Amino acid sequence: MSMPAFKTDAAPARPKLYSVEEAKQLDATTVRELFTAHVNPGQVHFLKLLGFDKIIVDSAQGMHYITRDGRKILDFFGGFCSVAFGHNHPRIVAARQKFQDENRHEICMAFMSQYASALAANLAAIAPGDLDMVFLGSTGSEAMEAALKVAEQAQGPARSKILHAANSFHGKTKGVLSVTDSTLYQSQFKLVENRVKVPFGDIEAVRLALESDPAIGIVVMETIQGGGGIVEAPVGFWRELRALCDKHGVLWVADEVQCGLGRTGQFFAFERDGVVPDVTALAKALGGSKAAMGAMIARREIYMKAYGKPKTALIHAQATFGGMGEACISAIEALNVLYEEDLMGNAQRQGDYLIEKLNGLRAKHPSLLKEIRGRGLMIGIEFNDISETMPFGLKHMVALLDDKLKGSLCGFIGALLLKDYDMLVAFTEYNRNVIRLEPPLIVTREQCDEFVAALDDLLSRGITKIVTDYLRKVAVAKG
């Protein structure tokens, strides 16, 4: 039976498409409807709880978002460390505009890209030791996938087991998801099985694992755990880890996707301890807060062992959008800005100042604030469980609900900081009692004072008024 012929002379019907200008003009209600219908309806639920669903950002500059109705929101969230250079840094914007005006090439897979080559050379010049072979991608997950793959390829099948830490976050793509310690994110996916978990910062647990299992050939850890609630390993841990890895022939992969690029006051957070990993990864802010850019940096010996021969060179070569022209020049300009504007020094100075001021608030509000921790402009504010904020007679009764209510106080505080003070903060994946502050590295002392004053004013309301104000101003208004 012959198939009917398809007509090819008729033009395809054009669906109703939004133009760029129409997209720009969408109001909050329409955006919420479209997001619910076509992006992630479940996420809208949480945005509503925080009151974030009513805000449309029209522009951003420096430390601020500017909303449709003219509010200037001070950004202490920083896009999980992505907005290190502030919003629309003029030098980075100018470099991108010049690139566009000159009709430079974006995708250059058939030829060697001068921009990718220069960026790789810059990263090699910055990285300590012999970390000098670079793979460019677009995201932290992609950079970490490349990091684990180069380590496993170099170690071979007999030593492919990966040791990782509890409460880790390395990404959501399937390979690194296997070493991201989250039952929520791992869900029901079939994961890589050649892995073993130890408590973060427990050098004896690492020692025991390496001594008892010769199949472990790779150790992967965040230098500072972001999703875990801004958690650092004990003093001396990284030096001891380096020595253990050397003793057992294990490769150490340092995840610096969040804590790298100057956020702690040094380019890499691991530099404080005077050690160098075998492989590391950057992303987030690497694109100058304007482009998606990630990078894996490996020791030459390891990279060449994995991919150094013609027959292995293309096993994990650059992807289609790895090393795109404008993304590369954004990163090149960003690295120069980082040094020329002393943003690492500013991160150290303002971070020290902010931590000092926040510890003052902790002393003033001990029933609400449990701990202030962090380094540079990567700071965690841990709140007490709800029961600890209650009068003595109610503590034992409310303590039964602490697990269910964990994170609620952070939600109230974050929602009211935005609603009443025009300030934006971040939350954490695992310890939901932690608010994290990761503002752009351009933050000033005056802006730190502004944030501390607002938080002090909010905490001074006391737990009862914080809850009732949230219910009255955010929860009831969300509908």
Side-chain angles (χ1 to χ4, degrees):
M1 180 178 179
S2 62
M3 297 293 292
F6 289 100
K7 294 183 178 180
T8 59
D9 53 346
R14 186 181 189 277
K16 172 64 179 76
L17 302 175
Y18 287 103
S19 68
V20 172
E21 190 60 30
E22 287 171 335
K24 176 185 172 182
Q25 298 300 328
L26 292 175
D27 59 29
T29 300
T30 306
V31 172
R32 184 168 56 246
E33 291 171 353
L34 294 175
F35 198 98
T36 301
H38 304 296
V39 183
N40 191 330
Q43 189 175 347
V44 174
H45 166 77
F46 295 104
L47 293 174
K48 285 182 176 181
L49 287 177
L50 295 167
F52 289 8
D53 64 311
K54 295 183 178 299
I55 292 174
I56 292 292
V57 174
D58 263 353
S59 61
Q61 187 63 53
M63 283 291 299
H64 294 89
Y65 290 102
I66 296 91
T67 69
R68 178 72 51 83
D69 55 358
R71 293 169 62 189
K72 288 185 68 177
I73 297 173
L74 185 62
D75 184 9
F76 266 67
F77 174 7
F80 295 120
C81 300
S82 297
V83 194
F85 298 90
H87 299 276
N88 290 305
H89 191 289
R91 279 184 52 178
I92 298 169
V93 169
R96 291 165 63 88
Q97 188 61 57
K98 187 173 189 292
F99 185 91
Q100 294 168 16
D101 291 344
E102 294 175 351
N103 292 322
R104 296 286 178 148
H105 53 274
E106 280 285 10
I107 299 172
C108 187
M109 293 187 69
F111 310 100
M112 293 181 293
S113 167
Q114 60 268 52
Y115 307 115
S117 300
L119 174 57
N122 285 353
L123 290 171
I126 292 168
D130 55 351
L131 287 168
D132 59 3
M133 297 299 290
V134 178
F135 170 89
L136 298 176
S138 301
T139 67
S141 291
E142 190 179 1
M144 283 303 300
E145 292 279 3
L148 291 181
K149 286 183 73 175
V150 74
E152 184 173 341
Q153 181 74 5
Q155 290 289 63
R159 305 212 61 194
S160 63
K161 188 176 287 188
I162 303 168
L163 185 145
H164 68 103
N167 293 331
S168 57
F169 183 89
H170 297 293
K172 295 180 183 176
T173 52
K174 202 168 180 185
V176 289
L177 180 61
S178 302
V179 291
T180 289
D181 184 34
S182 169
T183 54
L184 172 66
Y185 296 145
Q186 290 183 347
S187 190
Q188 302 177 63
F189 299 113
K190 179 67 175 175
L191 302 172
V192 173
E193 296 178 348
N194 60 331
R195 68 196 195 279
V196 60
K197 181 172 67 175
V198 295
F200 180 70
D202 187 338
I203 196 63
E204 291 307 315
V206 175
R207 189 191 315 278
L208 180 62
L210 297 187
E211 289 176 353
S212 61
D213 191 347
I216 297 174
I218 303 159
V219 171
V220 57
M221 292 183 185
E222 300 155 273
T223 314
I224 300 176
Q225 289 193 324
I230 314 300
V231 178
E232 290 209 63
V235 174
F237 174 83
W238 299 111
R239 289 191 295 274
E240 293 185 74
L241 178 69
R242 178 71 275 176
L244 278 175
C245 287
D246 290 341
K247 178 181 177 180
H248 294 279
V250 172
L251 299 182
W252 167 28
V253 177
D255 183 342
E256 294 253 340
V257 167
Q258 286 192 40
C259 62
L261 223 97
R263 181 146 294 272
T264 64
Q266 294 172 285
F267 192 90
F268 295 100
F270 60 70
E271 291 183 275
R272 186 187 68 172
D273 294 85
V275 291
V276 181
D278 299 294
V279 187
T280 191
L282 296 167
K284 300 291 188 187
L286 182 57
S289 311
K290 287 296 292 182
M293 173 60 70
M296 176 276 289
I297 315 173
R299 289 173 48 217
R300 175 173 294 273
E301 176 186 356
I302 293 164
Y303 185 91
M304 295 303 289
K305 187 176 180 181
Y307 307 130
K309 299 177 181 177
K311 68 177 182 180
T312 58
L314 300 182
I315 289 175
H316 197 86
Q318 200 160 279
T320 306
F321 297 113
M324 286 185 68
E326 192 169 325
C328 283
I329 65 99
S330 300
I332 290 169
E333 187 68 6
L335 293 175
N336 282 280
V337 166
L338 187 70
Y339 286 95
E340 292 168 16
E341 298 188 2
D342 189 30
L343 296 189
M344 286 186 280
N346 192 60
Q348 181 70 66
R349 292 187 295 273
Q350 306 310 333
D352 288 347
Y353 179 75
L354 188 53
I355 289 170
E356 178 187 353
K357 290 295 183 181
L358 290 170
N359 272 314
L361 288 191
R362 178 175 173 269
K364 185 177 179 180
H365 306 285
S367 67
L368 292 169
L369 296 179
K370 180 179 180 180
E371 185 181 12
I372 308 298
R373 56 178 177 265
R375 196 184 343 156
L377 290 173
M378 192 172 184
I379 299 170
I381 303 174
E382 183 166 359
F383 289 80
N384 285 313
D385 285 331
I386 286 286
S387 65
E388 293 298 314
T389 71
M390 297 292 174
F392 181 77
L394 294 175
K395 281 188 178 182
H396 293 298
M397 295 173 57
V398 178
L400 298 174
L401 300 173
D402 274 342
D403 282 344
K404 290 185 177 180
L405 294 174
K406 195 173 288 290
S408 57
L409 181 54
C410 283
F412 302 155
I413 296 293
L416 289 172
L417 280 172
L418 181 63
K419 177 71 175 177
D420 292 347
Y421 303 94
D422 289 338
M423 294 185 180
L424 185 64
V425 296
F427 305 99
T428 57
E429 285 91 346
Y430 303 131
N431 187 343
R432 289 172 290 145
N433 279 351
V434 176
I435 280 178
R436 48 177 156 170
L437 308 180
E438 295 162 339
L441 307 188
I442 62 170
V443 68
T444 65
R445 180 156 296 196
E446 291 73 23
Q447 289 162 339
C448 290
D449 285 336
E450 185 182 348
F451 175 81
V452 171
L455 183 59
D456 185 19
D457 187 61
L458 177 53
L459 297 180
S460 295
R461 300 180 191 182
I463 184 62
T464 301
K465 196 165 192 308
I466 288 171
V467 174
T468 56
D469 283 352
Y470 166 79
L471 293 173
R472 178 172 56 88
K473 296 180 177 182
V474 180
V476 173
K478 73 181 181 182

